[in-house]
Structures are given as structure tokens and as C-alpha cells.
Amino acid sequence: MRNVISGKKGSPYSDAIMANGFLFVAGQGPIDEAGRSRTDLSLEEQIRLTMKNLESVLKKGACSLGQVVQCRVYLDDIANFERMNAVYSEYFGESPPVRTTVEAALSDGIAVEIDCVAVCER
């Protein structure tokens, strides 16, 4: 059983899908409410905006960051790992989810994209 949580009109993917108690959240980036990629922001600001967007999608699925069990972080430059890690750690407490971080060519010139899986049994 799967349930589409939200999707972007005209996009060939969903923002999130609930299946068997898991919420699978598609990669979120530093996109503002008007739909603009915020490449003008510092890396730290891009990560914070990305996390805000991730939290927003989780909330639509009746979940929270505290229920996230896995994250994947994509950086445009792996040399920024420590800077990313410093900001990322602000969002997860003593028991952070498992995480993979890789360097990737990202669309629209953004510096970061993060996806996640949360356990959100209802």
C-alpha cells in the first residue's frame, strides 16, 4: 500500500510516498517558497533552507525529523563535508539517523540536496 503525500504539479516525481509505515522523502534542496533555487546563499544557509524544506515534507506526512532513520546528503563539493556536518548536526540530537554523504553534480547550481526515510507508523 502506498500513499503519495505531495507532488509538484507537472513533475514526474512525488515529494514523498508513504508505504508500509515508512515515509520516503525525495531529495530536497535550497528552494524558496517561490520555487527559486537559492544559489545566492552561503552553503550553511542552503543547508538550513534544505532542512526546512525536508521538515515541511515530513510534516505533510505526519512525521518529524525525530522519526528519520536514514538520510542521504549530496554535496556539489565533498571538500565542504565538515561545513555541512556542522550544520546538519544542529537538526539531529543524540541518536542521528544513518547517513551517506556523496559528491554529486546537482541541478540548478545548488550546493546541497538531502533525501530521507522516516518510520511514521500511524
Side-chain angles (χ1 to χ4, degrees):
M1 178 81 172
R2 69 180 223 160
N3 179 29
V4 174
I5 301 302
S6 61
K8 290 178 178 53
K9 191 171 185 155
S11 290
Y13 67 92
S14 300
D15 282 337
I17 292 182
M18 178 71 72
N20 300 319
F22 292 92
L23 184 65
F24 298 86
V25 179
Q28 301 297 305
I31 310 300
D32 67 17
E33 292 177 3
R36 296 177 302 229
S37 296
R38 294 301 308 272
T39 58
D40 59 315
L41 300 175
S42 70
L43 174 65
E44 290 79 5
E45 292 168 322
Q46 286 192 44
I47 294 166
R48 287 187 180 94
L49 181 54
T50 297
M51 292 301 295
K52 177 183 171 191
N53 292 338
L54 198 67
E55 286 179 299
S56 176
V57 176
L58 285 164
K59 185 176 179 180
K60 289 177 187 175
C63 297
S64 68
L65 286 175
Q67 294 167 288
V68 172
V69 295
Q70 179 185 35
C71 283
R72 286 178 291 255
V73 177
Y74 305 90
L75 293 172
D76 70 338
D77 185 350
I78 201 68
N80 290 325
F81 179 84
E82 291 303 323
R83 290 174 63 197
M84 176 280 301
N85 209 39
V87 176
Y88 177 93
S89 66
E90 296 171 9
Y91 292 87
F92 295 103
E94 296 290 319
S95 299
V98 298
R99 185 184 78 200
T100 300
T101 304
V102 297
E103 182 175 277
L106 301 171
S107 65
D108 298 330
I110 61 176
V112 63
E113 184 172 318
I114 302 173
D115 68 25
C116 71
V117 178
V119 177
C120 307
E121 295 186 53
R122 296 178 181 187

